[in-house]
Structure formats: structure tokens, C-alpha cells
Amino acid sequence: MVAFTGAGISEESGIPTYRDTNGLWTKYDPSKYASIDYFLQDPSYYWHFFREVRYPLLFESAQPNPGHLALADLERTGKLRCVITQNIDGLHQEAGSTRVIELHGNTRIIRCLECSKEFTAEKVYEMTETRIPPLCTDCGGLLKPAVVFFGEQLPQDAVHDAYAEAEACDLFLVVGSSLVVYPAAHIPVRAKECGARLVIINKEPTVMDTLADAVLNAKAGTTLPQIIATPAPQRNTPKT
Ligand SMILES: [Zn+2]
């Protein structure tokens, strides 16, 4: 089994997204703070946003929910090979998943654009107390969160691995994704073409529902633990 997760599972842990319409986030424009072109032009905009919404603290207070934990359990029992995720919050790893393919990067890691040195978001938060934009302590280069901004390519090794897993699995389980953006809109199709069953758990209907073998319009945090707790039906064994 391979799981594919999207924003739906993170939302259940209280992770805000740029689609959120309330709070501090509306003060900042995602077409600026999440765009590579704008970032290179005016990196301070992103770092003011990062500082004002107290970005690392947001993620610190968000905990993996029962949906994340259920996927980690499935990996431990050998039924799940990996999680492919569009999320950037690192909650799968925190829940105990060890094989996570991150299509959009990870927001808890900040990387120097010159020398690739990595910093934690907490460390960089401290650095922004004295300087915005923060600069690499080794080479003075510009720092950028290790996430895919609008206008950037997805990490090609992650995309390659995601396809390889989709092509080899028996069951492709979508959790909390509406499957509209590339490559989310194509990986499940590829899994199906290669013979996998497709199961979709999402609060709303998705464009892929007609292709799926089963669709559950439900929350991941309540549904996944129930599925795992349900014992598999026993095959009838002839009495001797
Ligand atoms: Zn550097």
C-alpha cells in the first residue's frame, strides 16, 4: 500500500494554509510570500511574514492527528510502503512515518541558496530578531525555506520516487487531497494504470472519484483509525 496525502490531513492538525481567510495571514499576499520571483526580488517580504505569524511556533503547536498516527502504524506493520505528501509540515515524520516522499519540500528546514547549508526554522527565527532578511552564517548567502514556491520546479527525485511507488503498489490510498494540481492529478491515474486499487478518503468529492474503487467522504483523523481497527474479513476455511 502507498498513501498520498494533501492539505486535508494537515488541516485536522490545525495547520493554517494560504487559503485561510482569517487572522494574520490575510495581511500577507501568498502571490508574494510564496513566489520565487518575488522572493528573489524582495526576500524581506517573506521574512517579515515568517516573523509576524511566528512561523516555527505555529508548527510547534500543531501535533500529528490520529490520521497521521494511523499511517505510521500501517508502515510499522509492514502494510504501507511509504507516504507521498504534498504537505510541508513534517507531521508524518513526527507521527513516526520513516519513509516520506515530500513533493513540496519541508518548511521546517531553511537552506542557504549559495552553499546549501541547512538551518532549523527555530534558529532562523532567532536570527530574524536582529536581521531581515537573515543571511547564511557560513557564506552570507540568502536563506530560503526548503519548500517549493510558486514558479519553482518540484524536486525531481521526489517526483520520480512517487511515480515508482505508485507503479509498484497494490493499493493507492489518497488521504485529504482534492487531486487537482500536478502531479497529484496524475499519480493516482498512473497507479490505476499499473493495476493498483484506488481508495480516496477526502471530505469533499474529487475529480478522481469515478476512477476510484472506493471513496469515503470523511475526515482522515476519524476514518483511518477505524479502518485499521477493523479486522480483515476471514476467509472461509473448509471444515475437516
Ligand atoms: Zn551559505
Side-chain angles (χ1 to χ4, degrees), residues 56-182:
L57 301 181
L58 265 172
F59 286 91
E60 213 168 81
S61 61
Q63 295 296 317
N65 66 58
H68 293 105
L69 297 170
L71 291 176
D73 275 349
L74 277 174
E75 185 190 314
R76 266 192 294 275
T77 56
K79 294 192 174 75
L80 183 83
R81 266 185 64 84
C82 68
V83 177
I84 303 166
T85 189
Q86 297 172 283
N87 300 330
I88 55 172
D89 48 47
L91 287 177
H92 285 300
Q93 292 90 328
E94 211 173 298
S97 289
T98 62
R99 186 127 194 279
V100 182
I101 300 172
E102 295 176 311
L103 294 174
H104 296 167
N106 189 320
T107 195
R108 301 186 188 205
I109 302 165
I110 313 285
R111 197 175 288 136
C112 172
L113 289 180
E114 299 300 325
C115 74
S116 301
K117 183 182 165 87
E118 291 185 354
F119 300 82
T120 63
E122 289 77 12
K123 172 73 188 153
V124 176
Y125 188 74
E126 279 172 29
M127 289 159 70
T128 58
E129 269 169 36
T130 48
R131 193 184 195 288
I132 287 182
L135 298 177
C136 176
T137 51
D138 275 11
C139 78
L142 201 55
L143 301 183
K144 177 187 169 289
V147 296
V148 178
F149 277 2
F150 298 128
E152 278 190 301
Q153 278 224 329
L154 298 188
Q156 289 307 296
D157 50 345
V159 173
H160 176 270
D161 290 352
Y163 271 101
E165 293 294 350
E167 286 162 7
C169 72
D170 303 313
L171 191 146
F172 195 85
L173 174 68
V174 174
V175 183
S177 171
S178 44
L179 302 173
V180 281
V181 293
Y182 172 85

Side-chain angles (χ1 to χ4, degrees), residues 17-72:
T17 72
Y18 59 78
R19 292 186 192 87
D20 280 10
T21 50
N22 48 29
L24 270 175
W25 288 50
T26 51
K27 275 181 67 182
Y28 290 88
D29 178 356
S31 74
K32 289 183 177 174
Y33 71 69
S35 148
I36 188 63
D37 289 341
Y38 197 86
F39 182 80
L40 294 174
Q41 209 182 96
D42 177 18
S44 299
Y45 189 86
Y46 176 84
W47 293 110
H48 281 295
F49 158 76
F50 174 91
R51 177 122 201 113
E52 190 168 356
V53 303
R54 307 207 293 165
Y55 211 80
L57 301 181
L58 265 172
F59 286 91
E60 213 168 81
S61 61
Q63 295 296 317
N65 66 58
H68 293 105
L69 297 170
L71 291 176

